[in-house]
Amino acid sequence: MNVFRLVADLMHLASILILLLKIRKTRSAAGISFKSQLLYLIVFVTRYLDLFTHWVSLYNTAMKVFFIASSGYIVYQMQRRYRATWDPALDTFRIEFLLGGAAVMSLIFHTKFTFLELFWTYSIWLEAVAILPQLFQMSRTGEAETITAHYLFALGAYRGLYVVNWIYRYATEGYWEWIPFLAGMVQTVLYADFFYVYFSRVMRGKKFELP
Amino acid sequence: ASVAGGKDEL
């Protein structure tokens, strides 16, 4: 564990707490892409299949349980209590391409052809693009609530900081894995426009609006 | 201790 990974994990934790707070406070899931939330649920379930077979630490297990449980809770609540508060007509990104693309990528690029390893790799590739339905929806509406922008910033910073963690681990431990590195880079590039608007507008107290 | 294959990460 190093400071980049710890802060990254805490940013990830914070992002989910901010999202739960947004939904509770505004009593609405408006502006949140259900499809992105569904993809994150698939990402965490497929990545943490080793939950019961591979013990790392209490920290590791607690975080895994939290990420699976919270993403499941959000997907469930968006379909139940908050079903009427968000508009599926705005959430039109075709996630079949992302699900299929990640499957093809993990079948071609993986380190071991085993059940757990393939699902882990699938989750890595899928996470890289899971934000696309959310970004697509925001590009259609052209704006986002400030709390939603904070949520997305924390979520994007999490994987961005993991990229820094991988560079640091390579320098200090000689540890290197190019699949998560490349996927993390892809995700960070996809976030570039969002980060630009976040830093230039939201952090200066203005509303998140696309030019 | 680090685990091979990055499985100590989240």
Side-chain angles (χ1 to χ4, degrees):
Chain A
M1 179 60 82
N2 57 62
V3 66
F4 305 110
R5 188 149 42 119
L6 181 63
V7 175
D9 288 347
L10 295 178
M11 291 291 269
H12 192 191
L13 199 62
S15 75
I16 291 167
L17 296 176
I18 293 168
L19 177 59
L20 290 170
L21 189 74
K22 175 255 178 311
I23 294 174
R24 281 199 157 254
K25 278 268 172 189
T26 63
R27 293 203 192 92
S28 163
I32 304 297
S33 162
F34 176 78
K35 289 182 175 176
S36 277
Q37 296 306 316
L38 183 64
L39 291 179
Y40 282 117
L41 174 61
I42 298 168
V43 163
F44 297 129
V45 169
T46 52
R47 184 171 310 166
Y48 302 148
L49 286 173
D50 66 351
L51 193 57
F52 300 104
T53 63
H54 179 89
W55 176 265
V56 178
S57 63
L58 182 61
Y59 169 85
N60 185 275
T61 297
M63 291 292 244
K64 284 175 174 174
V65 170
F66 178 79
F67 292 136
I68 293 174
S70 58
S71 54
Y73 176 78
I74 289 162
V75 164
Y76 178 78
Q77 288 289 42
M78 283 185 79
Q79 281 295 342
R80 296 280 172 154
R81 186 194 296 215
Y82 300 100
R83 187 70 184 82
T85 63
W86 56 277
D87 185 1
L90 296 172
D91 192 18
T92 51
F93 196 94
R94 296 289 297 273
I95 59 170
E96 297 87 338
F97 296 114
L98 304 182
L99 291 163
V104 170
M105 287 296 279
S106 53
L107 284 173
I108 302 172
F109 304 106
H110 54 263
T111 43
K112 269 185 287 173
F113 197 83
T114 63
F115 180 82
L116 281 182
E117 191 68 26
L118 283 177
F119 274 103
W120 180 83
T121 312
Y122 179 73
S123 84
I124 295 290
W125 289 123
L126 187 60
E127 185 181 23
V129 292
I131 200 61
L132 280 175
Q134 177 69 51
L135 294 175
F136 181 69
Q137 176 171 331
M138 279 161 53
S139 74
R140 285 189 64 187
T141 59
E143 56 174 30
E145 288 172 83
T146 301
I147 193 163
T148 302
H150 290 326
Y151 156 67
L152 287 166
F153 173 74
L155 187 63
Y158 142 65
R159 222 48 183 170
L161 282 168
Y162 255 87
V163 171
V164 181
N165 154 69
W166 291 317
I167 294 167
Y168 179 83
R169 287 189 77 174
Y170 180 70
T172 58
E173 303 170 34
Y175 163 88
W176 181 255
E177 236 189 309
W178 66 272
I179 290 174
F181 178 79
L182 195 61
M185 291 294 287
V186 167
Q187 174 167 339
T188 303
V189 167
L190 294 180
Y191 257 94
D193 273 358
F194 170 84
F195 283 144
Y196 176 76
V197 178
Y198 187 80
F199 281 115
S200 60
R201 293 195 55 90
V202 181
M203 283 189 109
R204 293 181 187 171
K206 296 181 201 161
K207 189 175 163 57
F208 184 93
E209 271 175 334
L210 294 173
Chain B
S2 61
V3 178
K7 304 305 187 293
D8 58 335
E9 297 182 339
L10 289 163

